[in-house]
Amino acid sequence: QSWSETDNAYIFYGYQQVQKLPVCSELMLLGGELSRMNVLNAPVHAIVTEEGIISLELYDLYQISVGERRIQFCSFDEIAESVERKLNDMLDETTYHITLARLCLVVRHGTNQLYGVVPAWYLEGSDHCGEDVSGDFIMFVNAETCKEIVTG
């Protein structure tokens, strides 16, 4: 039996956006593969075939109110200095390269079981030890304070 057009399936995924900024779940702060902004961690997944939508998953979607408060962001140079300070504190000969920087909103637990959002830079990078790429990393940096966002 051969493959035909009716056998095709397409996967669609997406992230919630508020004022054109992607919203990242607090789970993305846990590290590892959970931190990646990719199809596996997207809160919206759909599988579509010729027959229509055969699977639709929605999770970690938030009702976010946009207020009137103006936020003063750190300059990107200040963000870069903060990241450089953190990475230079590692006591080895590794060099680091940022491969992606994306402004986003990170959901955080607030008081009284309410959530809040923090504007942040989502940064992907790789570490290089000599000529070899030894790994990659993801970090979130608060766009207002220039400090890394960590769990806890």
Side-chain angles (χ1 to χ4, degrees):
Q1 193 172 22
S2 65
W3 192 273
S4 72
E5 191 73 26
T6 60
D7 296 313
N8 289 344
Y10 304 91
I11 297 175
F12 294 89
Y13 72 98
Y15 281 83
Q16 179 180 3
Q17 289 193 348
V18 173
Q19 295 187 324
K20 299 184 181 181
L21 296 178
V23 176
C24 297
S25 162
E26 192 169 34
L27 291 174
M28 291 179 73
L29 299 175
L30 295 177
E33 288 304 310
L34 284 175
S35 297
R36 295 202 173 285
M37 198 176 280
N38 62 19
V39 65
L40 298 175
N41 295 324
V44 178
H45 294 98
I47 300 175
V48 180
T49 67
E50 184 178 76
E51 297 168 5
I53 297 175
I54 61 169
S55 173
L56 178 62
E57 297 177 13
L58 306 167
Y59 61 93
D60 288 340
L61 296 175
Y62 304 94
Q63 183 175 344
I64 298 173
S65 301
V66 177
E68 296 296 318
R69 184 175 84 108
R70 292 276 180 206
I71 298 171
Q72 182 68 42
F73 286 174
C74 298
S75 71
F76 198 75
D77 285 343
E78 292 172 302
I79 297 292
E81 286 172 17
S82 174
V83 172
E84 185 178 20
R85 256 191 321 277
K86 178 198 168 53
L87 296 177
N88 282 339
D89 284 346
M90 314 270 185
L91 299 175
D92 59 17
E93 297 300 315
T94 304
T95 57
Y96 300 91
H97 300 274
I98 301 297
T99 56
L100 176 69
R102 178 179 288 160
L103 191 59
C104 65
L105 297 172
V106 176
V107 175
R108 301 296 313 257
H109 270 95
T111 56
N112 299 325
Q113 297 298 317
L114 296 175
Y115 290 103
V117 292
V118 174
W121 283 97
Y122 167 88
L123 302 165
E124 286 184 12
S126 58
D127 0 285
H128 298 260
C129 195
E131 296 294 315
D132 300 323
V133 176
S134 55
D136 56 3
F137 63 91
I138 294 170
M139 58 189 297
F140 290 86
V141 178
N142 186 311
E144 288 183 278
T145 66
C146 300
K147 293 183 178 162
E148 182 180 14
I149 301 173
V150 294
T151 57

